[in-house]
Amino acid sequence: MKVLVIDDEKLVLLPIKKRLTAIGYEVKTETNGMIGMKVFDSFKPDLVIIDVHMPEISGFEVVKHIRLHRKLTTPIMMLSGSVDDETIIKGFDLGINDYMKKPISLNEICARTKRLIGTPEVNNKNEIAKNKVIIQKRSVGVVIPCYNEEERLLKDEFLNFIDEHSGYYLCFVNDGSKDNTLEVLEKLKQGREEYITVYNCEKNGGKAEAVRQGMLYLLENKKLDYIGFLDADLSTDFNDFEDLVTTIENSNFKIVSGSRIQRMGANIAKDSARAIISQTINFIIRKILAMNFKDTQCGAKIFNKEIVPLLFEQKFITKWLFDVEIFMRMRKEYSLLKAKQLICEQPLKRWVHVDGSKLSMKDSLKIVFQLAQIAFGYANYKSQKDKQTINTRTDVFKMKNKTLQKKTEKFTLS
C-alpha cells in the first residue's frame, strides 16, 4: 500500500515517512506541490497526505488535480495549522476525505491512515507506535555551541530528542575545539542531514561568538519560525526547552529565557559557592539593565526569528556576558518599557550544574569587569533603526553633494 505525503516542511515529512514506513506502507514525500502532482501521476498512491499552505501552489490545487483533472477517488488527508471554518469547508467541498489540524500526533495520523486505506499486509507488528511524537505547526532551529566536548557530548540524548520532537533543526557549532569534537559532530550528523548540521569555526572565539555565528547561520533557513540556543552539556532539560518554545509560540513575546530559580517543585542543583557569586552578579546586572531579571545567564533561550538580526548581527563586546548584551540591545532597539513587554523569563523545572563546565570560580571574578564594559560600551550604542536612519541621511547628503558638484562644474565651464 502506497502513501504520498506532500508538505513544504521537511521536518514534517521525515517523522511521518519514518513511522508509516515502519508500519509497512511504501511512502514517497515531496516538498513542492507542482512536482507532487507529477509524482502522484507516476506513483499512483493509495492515499495522499497533503498540507494546505505551500509555496507556488496550495494543497487545494493538488486536490483539484486529483479530483477534477484526473477524476480519481484516491483518499486525501489534509493537514493544516489553519483552524478557520472556511479552509476546512473548502477542503471537503473539493472532495478531501479527512482533515487534521496541527499540532497532531503521529499516532493519530497512523490511525486515520489505517481507517482510510487499511493496514498493510506486511505489517511490522513489532513497531509500537505509541510514543507521543507531535507534528507541530512551527519549525525551531537550535544552536548548540561546542568546545572540547568529545567526552561530554550526550549524543544519545540529542538523537532521542529529535526522534521524539518533530519540527526541530539542530545546529552544532564547533568553536575551534582542540580535541576530536568536530569528528564526533560530523559522525552524529551522518544520515541525519535533514535535521542536523555542523557549523565549524576554525578558531576558538568563545561561546558568545559561537552562538552568534550559529544564530546567523540558522537565520538563512527560511523555513524556521523560531531560533534559540542550548548548552551542549544539557544542564537544561529538553522538556524545559520545549516548554520555552510552547510559551513563545502561544504569546506575543519575542524572547523567552529559561531561569534557574530555586523553588519548591523544581530540581535546580547549584554549587553553593557559585550560587553566592551568581546572586551578587545578578544584583549588578539588574541595576545595569533596569530590569528585574532573576537569571540572565541561563543557557536556554528561544527567539522570534524576526528579531535575530537586530540582536546578533553585531559582535558582542564580552566573552561570557553576551546574554546581558542581548537584553541591553533589546532596550536599545525598542525602549525599556516595550522590552519588558517582549521578554519572558520562564522558570525551569530542572537544571543541574555539570562537572567540567568551562566557567571557573576565577573566571567569575572577571565578570564584574565585563559588566562595567557593558555599562560603558552600550552608552553610545546605535540601534539598527538608528543606523538605517543615519545611512539614509548619509545617502541623501551624498546625492545632494554630487548634484551640487555637477552644478558647480557646469557653472565653471560656462
Side-chain angles (χ1 to χ4, degrees), residues 16-83:
I16 294 178
K17 181 177 182 178
K18 182 178 179 181
R19 178 65 67 80
L20 292 179
T21 301
I23 292 174
Y25 296 102
E26 182 182 352
V27 183
K28 280 195 176 183
T29 61
E30 182 51 58
T31 58
N32 182 288
M34 292 290 291
I35 299 175
M37 290 190 293
K38 296 178 180 179
V39 174
F40 172 85
D41 293 338
S42 60
F43 185 50
K44 295 181 171 45
D46 299 294
L47 170 68
V48 176
I49 301 176
I50 188 167
D51 186 35
V52 174
H53 303 292
M54 295 185 294
E56 294 192 36
I57 65 169
S58 71
F60 292 128
E61 296 302 316
V62 180
V63 176
K64 289 178 183 178
H65 173 78
I66 297 171
R67 293 288 185 259
L68 303 180
H69 300 154
R70 292 289 177 259
K71 300 186 183 305
L72 296 172
T73 58
T74 305
I76 302 173
M77 182 192 302
M78 186 165 273
L79 307 179
S80 177
S82 178
V83 295

Side-chain angles (χ1 to χ4, degrees), residues 137-153:
K137 57 183 178 182
R138 43 73 175 163
S139 297
V140 182
V142 186
V143 175
I144 303 106
C146 302
Y147 178 67
N148 292 347
E149 299 288 350
E150 177 186 2
E151 300 296 332
R152 296 201 314 160
L153 193 69

Side-chain angles (χ1 to χ4, degrees), residues 13 19 70 102 154 172 190 282 284 305 318 321 326 414:
L13 295 175
R19 178 65 67 80
R70 292 289 177 259
K102 300 175 186 175
L154 302 174
F172 291 92
Q190 286 180 5
N282 190 54
I284 301 172
K305 186 179 179 179
T318 61
L321 297 180
I326 287 171
S414 301

Side-chain angles (χ1 to χ4, degrees), residues 51 93 125 150 254 268 365 404 411:
D51 186 35
D93 284 345
K125 299 184 182 298
E150 177 186 2
K254 300 298 183 184
I268 309 295
L365 300 177
L404 182 61
F411 178 77

Side-chain angles (χ1 to χ4, degrees), residues 28 50 54 61 65 91 105 123 132-133 153 157 174 190 200 209 242 261 284 296 327 337 350 368 395-396 398 408 413:
K28 280 195 176 183
I50 188 167
M54 295 185 294
E61 296 302 316
H65 173 78
S105 73
N123 185 27
K132 299 178 180 179
V133 178
L153 193 69
E157 281 79 353
N174 177 48
Q190 286 180 5
N200 183 40
E209 184 60 13
E242 173 76 1
I261 302 173
I284 301 172
T296 58
F327 298 128
L337 178 61
R350 170 195 173 275
V368 176
D395 291 340
V396 171
K398 287 180 179 179
T408 303
L413 290 173

Side-chain angles (χ1 to χ4, degrees), residues 102-121:
K102 300 175 186 175
I104 186 170
S105 73
L106 273 180
N107 292 333
E108 185 173 351
I109 292 177
C110 292
R112 290 175 182 253
T113 298
K114 291 176 182 178
R115 180 182 64 82
L116 288 172
I117 62 174
T119 304
E121 292 182 9

